[in-house]
Amino acid sequence: MPANPRHATTSNASRDRWRRLRRVRRLVQIVAFLLFVVLLVLTQQRSSGSPWAGLFFRLDPLAGISAMLAARAWLPLFALGMITIVVTLSFGRVWCGWICPMGTLLEWLRWPGAERTGRHIPDSLRLGKYALLGVILGMAALGSLTLLILDPIGLLTRGATVAVLPALDAALIALQSALANWEPTQGVGFWMQQHAQGSVYPPAASHYAQAIAIVALLAIIVALNVLADRFWCRYLCPLGGLLALLARIQVLRPQVTASCTTCGACNRSCRLGAITPATGSAETGERQTPHVVTAECTMCLDCLTACSRGGAMTMGTAAPRLPQQSFDPGRRAFLTAAGLGAGALAGAGAAAALGINAPAAEADARLIRPPGAQDEERFTAQCIRCGECLLVCPTAGLQPALLQGGLGAIWTPVLTPRLGYCDYTCNACGHVCPSGAIPALDLPVKQTQVIGRAAIDRSRCLPWALGQPCLICEEMCPVPEKAIVMDEPQLVTRDDGTQDTIARPYVVNQRCIGCGICENKCPVEGTAAIVVRRSSGAQGRQRRGQST
């Protein structure tokens, strides 16, 4: 029979409407991703931090809920996460399909053939994201945010901080050098040096100790796209798991109506496999129409544009009773996952109490935290391992920790003075911290925060060990009343028998704040002759002329 013209017109109009809305979604994706990139670049370039730097983290309900569970307190900085929760309850996983930069990146990096291979992966693997979510929340309830390193916003931010942006900086620096050294382009090279270096890119590219491990984890997540479209989003993302639980009761949802012909077009178009396949046929009268599993749907609208029959798929507010799926998390399974996380953490705590974690305790002297974050228990309970402080640090002195504070403090920021110091005129890390783990201190207050104490190794110090004149640590000390002073010059005899009048440096402990610039600038090769160690408790005053 010929097609009904009215039906065809209605069908085309419906598909055109959804196509226009899908174009809006793609535009929102592009804008959100560009905003994420712009915020990263601006955070890296600015010497003073902006609260907007952590916008995506503040919209992240997983980061907010976990941090509040660990801190056992309401953290107002995460109030914006309520917007994401309300939107999810109303319209489903819009965050995953429209906003999340990780989801957008994985959607853009599609692998040919992944759609076919993805159909052979058991749906039960989707329980993985709920298991990870349960473990993260269980550990957070006991005060540990260690596994929050798997939060997708943190994964992408850390990867950009320790690898992508430094690589771009290195490329621009190399380009500037090449242009300046070639006569026909010297003018361009000098222009870049005068107008771009220091504002667009730094004089030297930053280096991060844990870059290989951080980038490897991100690379694995991207590589999993070979197995299935957005493999991470389907099976592993803990934030996706949290939003999937909320989306099970979303108000406005895509639905298949009674006019469905079970052609299967919607199922084939769904990249995440969120639509159950149709069974049977209209001719035999025995058929099972497909339905949308809202917990897995990211509201991409592809199914609505693929539907060949107008009105067969629509957006509705009805909540039909859908059959239980093999990958739907039961309450018992979710609580079991949370219990496993809490149990694992309790076991780790018992091991530490028995001294098994002794190497981490011995390294505590070099566990120097950012200004205002000296309460280690509070800090590790609120730090969400986002990497924003690493990105904004102008000297790249803040580095992701490995085992300095134990496994529970992995990838939290630690000052590494030999790589970079805490700039006396900078308080940016506290202003970009999305959780408040690093307090947003005014600059005069920050300049009085003691994060460590410097100590001179006389066996390595040039004036002390070799009788060679050196004033660098004293000259670099930024505090108004120098924390490093030179003693009265004394006549010294060197090993070769020569003599000279040399002034030797001393540390005045009550003035030292532990910024680390002395260690960073020390000209001694290898380990510096002056080393900053973590400040523990009240420090006794030292007389001038007394060194640690």
Side-chain angles (χ1 to χ4, degrees), residues 173 191 376 430 482 512:
I173 293 168
W191 182 91
E376 184 68 13
K482 294 287 187 178
C512 181

PDB file of all heavy atoms in Angstrom, residues 173 191 376 430 482 512:
ATOM      1  N   ILE A 173      57.989  27.070  22.917  1.00  0.00           N
ATOM      2  CA  ILE A 173      59.333  27.545  23.274  1.00  0.00           C
ATOM      3  C   ILE A 173      60.340  27.120  22.207  1.00  0.00           C
ATOM      4  O   ILE A 173      61.211  27.899  21.794  1.00  0.00           O
ATOM      5  CB  ILE A 173      59.735  26.999  24.662  1.00  0.00           C
ATOM      6  CG1 ILE A 173      58.852  27.630  25.742  1.00  0.00           C
ATOM      7  CG2 ILE A 173      61.208  27.275  24.951  1.00  0.00           C
ATOM      8  CD1 ILE A 173      58.973  26.968  27.097  1.00  0.00           C
ATOM      9  N   TRP A 191      59.583  38.827  18.448  1.00  0.00           N
ATOM     10  CA  TRP A 191      58.244  39.321  18.807  1.00  0.00           C
ATOM     11  C   TRP A 191      57.572  38.338  19.767  1.00  0.00           C
ATOM     12  O   TRP A 191      56.944  38.754  20.742  1.00  0.00           O
ATOM     13  CB  TRP A 191      57.396  39.477  17.540  1.00  0.00           C
ATOM     14  CG  TRP A 191      56.023  40.016  17.836  1.00  0.00           C
ATOM     15  CD1 TRP A 191      55.631  41.315  17.851  1.00  0.00           C
ATOM     16  CD2 TRP A 191      54.859  39.233  18.177  1.00  0.00           C
ATOM     17  NE1 TRP A 191      54.298  41.419  18.178  1.00  0.00           N
ATOM     18  CE2 TRP A 191      53.799  40.166  18.387  1.00  0.00           C
ATOM     19  CE3 TRP A 191      54.606  37.886  18.326  1.00  0.00           C
ATOM     20  CZ2 TRP A 191      52.514  39.746  18.735  1.00  0.00           C
ATOM     21  CZ3 TRP A 191      53.328  37.480  18.670  1.00  0.00           C
ATOM     22  CH2 TRP A 191      52.300  38.393  18.882  1.00  0.00           C
ATOM     23  N   GLU A 376      47.027  17.696  58.169  1.00  0.00           N
ATOM     24  CA  GLU A 376      47.091  16.614  57.193  1.00  0.00           C
ATOM     25  C   GLU A 376      45.789  15.824  57.123  1.00  0.00           C
ATOM     26  O   GLU A 376      45.318  15.457  56.039  1.00  0.00           O
ATOM     27  CB  GLU A 376      48.265  15.688  57.520  1.00  0.00           C
ATOM     28  CG  GLU A 376      48.495  14.585  56.512  1.00  0.00           C
ATOM     29  CD  GLU A 376      48.978  15.092  55.163  1.00  0.00           C
ATOM     30  OE1 GLU A 376      49.378  16.273  55.059  1.00  0.00           O
ATOM     31  OE2 GLU A 376      48.957  14.298  54.211  1.00  0.00           O
ATOM     32  N   GLY A 430      44.938  28.460  46.747  1.00  0.00           N
ATOM     33  CA  GLY A 430      43.761  28.446  47.605  1.00  0.00           C
ATOM     34  C   GLY A 430      42.520  28.987  46.931  1.00  0.00           C
ATOM     35  O   GLY A 430      41.394  28.581  47.245  1.00  0.00           O
ATOM     36  N   LYS A 482      65.132  38.826  56.785  1.00  0.00           N
ATOM     37  CA  LYS A 482      65.683  37.625  56.184  1.00  0.00           C
ATOM     38  C   LYS A 482      65.689  36.445  57.156  1.00  0.00           C
ATOM     39  O   LYS A 482      66.120  36.570  58.299  1.00  0.00           O
ATOM     40  CB  LYS A 482      67.112  37.890  55.704  1.00  0.00           C
ATOM     41  CG  LYS A 482      67.216  38.889  54.559  1.00  0.00           C
ATOM     42  CD  LYS A 482      66.723  38.289  53.248  1.00  0.00           C
ATOM     43  CE  LYS A 482      66.985  39.238  52.079  1.00  0.00           C
ATOM     44  NZ  LYS A 482      66.557  38.665  50.802  1.00  0.00           N
ATOM     45  N   CYS A 512      61.635  31.734  59.233  1.00  0.00           N
ATOM     46  CA  CYS A 512      61.500  30.903  58.034  1.00  0.00           C
ATOM     47  C   CYS A 512      60.071  30.397  57.885  1.00  0.00           C
ATOM     48  O   CYS A 512      59.466  29.898  58.842  1.00  0.00           O
ATOM     49  CB  CYS A 512      62.469  29.733  58.107  1.00  0.00           C
ATOM     50  SG  CYS A 512      62.408  28.644  56.666  1.00  0.00           S
TER      51      CYS A 512
END
